[in-house]
Amino acid sequence: MTLPPDHPPVVAPRVGVLLVNLGTPDAPDPPSVRRYLGQFLSDRRVVEIPPILWQPILRGIILTTRPKKSAHAYAQIWTEDGSPLAAITRAQTAALQAALGDGVEVAYAMRYGEPAIGRAIDALTDAGCRRILIAPLYPHYCAATTATVVDAAADHLKTLRWQPTLRFLPPYADDPAYLGALKTSVEAGLAALDFAPDMLLASFHGMPERTLRLGDPYHCQCQKTARLLSEALGRPVGVAFQSRFGRAKWLEPATDVQLEALAKAGKSVAIFAPGFAADCLETLEELAIRGREQFMAAGGRQFAYLPCLNADAPGMTMIEALVRRELAGWI
């Protein structure tokens, strides 16, 4: 590139990929959890109660009492590398960078917490990325997840004089690459068990039932993933929804209710969480620890939690395939 002598340095143009996950506190302590929950639960896509009604509740009882309890839960799964979600997302980013090579700059961000989406976009543009694929790692579309990533990116673009060109990875609930990765991962998990579970239960993150009535395709997409995976595995896959919060009616059946019923019926269970791209609080603590405890306390016999796709080979093969497809024409 030939520039005039007094021209400022120009970074060679590149293509960027930004992997985005939900987020995590910086540490398993109440102040860190309070900051994280304050940001997360203030998103009007997440809690659709008018702020004038919701914020006093949030800043009052919720952020006064919940951080201590949640910090204890985070402490049970925290590792030497920090939050499992953050550590796995970093590993996914490194693996994708290695697969795509030097012509593409791969980074990651969290919708809530750090690194923030806006700062990650700035870092990519500083590295010369004028075209960026933003990849929300949510297989199933919901306004409270996928849409908030688009919101954050759009809000940051409003602050920029020279905006990069953006693409967004679509939801992939019925994508053959995703279903193939799930099949391989679940089969490997089942093969490693010392028992044959009576029930294979897919636990998806819960959403208020009103999101279905308002038009979110989330519930239908979760059901479709389970149905297609069941066909691929050649065995039934049950569906449940976890992480209920508040008094509103949520999507059913609830995971905790299902586990208790299966335990009382004398069934053995293998549970997995296909809606999560990486193991996190909701899988490692809510399912693998509390879910097991609840199941056994209700008289259950055998219980296993099967890990998420994480940065293992099936999951990374899927992410690379999806990303390469969306980068068509750019690389």
Side-chain angles (χ1 to χ4, degrees):
M1 184 182 300
T2 302
L3 299 173
D6 59 346
H7 198 286
V10 176
V11 180
R14 307 182 70 192
V15 170
V17 174
L18 183 62
L19 303 181
V20 182
N21 218 317
L22 183 73
T24 176
D26 297 323
D29 57 52
S32 299
V33 173
R34 185 175 295 110
R35 287 193 300 272
Y36 172 72
L37 290 178
Q39 183 186 12
F40 174 49
L41 296 177
S42 291
D43 189 330
R44 296 192 65 183
R45 293 268 197 189
V46 174
V47 179
E48 297 182 273
I49 300 172
I52 194 171
L53 300 176
W54 171 243
Q55 283 297 320
I57 299 171
L58 175 62
R59 303 295 164 181
I61 187 170
I62 293 177
L63 292 184
T64 301
T65 61
R66 191 175 177 90
K68 183 176 180 180
K69 180 179 179 181
S70 294
H72 173 73
Y74 275 108
Q76 294 184 72
I77 65 166
W78 216 257
T79 72
E80 292 182 357
D81 295 324
S83 159
L85 176 65
I88 293 167
T89 306
R90 286 194 295 269
Q92 290 170 327
T93 302
L96 185 61
Q97 181 69 77
L100 296 179
D102 294 337
V104 178
E105 182 77 12
V106 184
Y108 76 95
M110 297 295 175
R111 176 59 186 89
Y112 311 101
E114 296 295 337
I117 289 174
R119 280 189 283 277
I121 290 175
D122 287 345
L124 286 172
T125 57
D126 288 346
C129 300
R130 303 310 315 170
R131 300 179 178 187
I132 300 172
L133 170 66
I134 297 181
L137 295 180
Y138 305 124
H140 311 91
Y141 180 92
C142 185
T145 54
T146 315
T148 68
V149 174
V150 179
D151 289 345
D155 286 344
H156 186 66
L157 288 187
K158 294 176 185 177
T159 70
L160 302 180
R161 167 69 65 176
W162 187 8
Q163 297 175 335
T165 297
L166 300 185
R167 289 179 179 174
F168 291 88
L169 175 71
Y172 46 94
D174 59 354
D175 194 285
Y178 170 58
L179 294 167
L182 285 179
K183 179 178 184 292
T184 299
S185 178
V186 168
E187 286 180 337
L190 293 174
L193 300 180
D194 58 4
F195 70 97
D198 300 313
M199 170 62 77
L200 179 60
L201 184 62
S203 181
F204 297 90
H205 199 288
M207 294 291 171
E209 188 182 71
R210 68 189 297 269
T211 62
L212 175 60
R213 298 196 304 271
L214 290 172
D216 278 12
Y218 180 78
H219 177 266
C220 300
Q221 290 181 355
C222 291
Q223 294 285 354
K224 188 174 187 180
T225 291
R227 175 174 60 81
L228 294 176
L229 181 60
S230 174
E231 293 173 1
L233 292 171
R235 62 173 295 164
V237 175
V239 172
F241 296 91
Q242 65 184 84
S243 308
R244 290 177 293 172
F245 175 75
R247 298 181 180 180
K249 185 174 178 60
W250 284 57
L251 295 177
E252 294 181 337
T255 299
D256 55 353
V257 174
Q258 286 286 87
L259 287 177
E260 187 166 342
L262 289 167
K264 290 179 177 178
K267 304 293 185 181
S268 58
V269 173
I271 192 168
F272 67 112
F276 295 85
D279 275 308
C280 54
L281 183 74
E282 288 80 3
T283 65
L284 298 175
E285 192 275 337
E286 186 176 352
L287 296 181
I289 297 176
R290 278 194 288 132
R292 176 189 295 275
E293 291 173 350
Q294 180 195 13
F295 183 77
M296 293 305 181
R301 297 186 294 111
Q302 293 167 302
F303 175 97
Y305 169 70
L306 308 182
C308 293
L309 293 174
N310 295 328
D312 295 333
M316 291 312 307
T317 297
M318 175 203 72
I319 291 176
E320 182 184 353
L322 296 178
V323 165
R324 284 189 180 277
R325 181 189 307 162
E326 298 306 316
L327 290 176
W330 281 6
I331 63 170

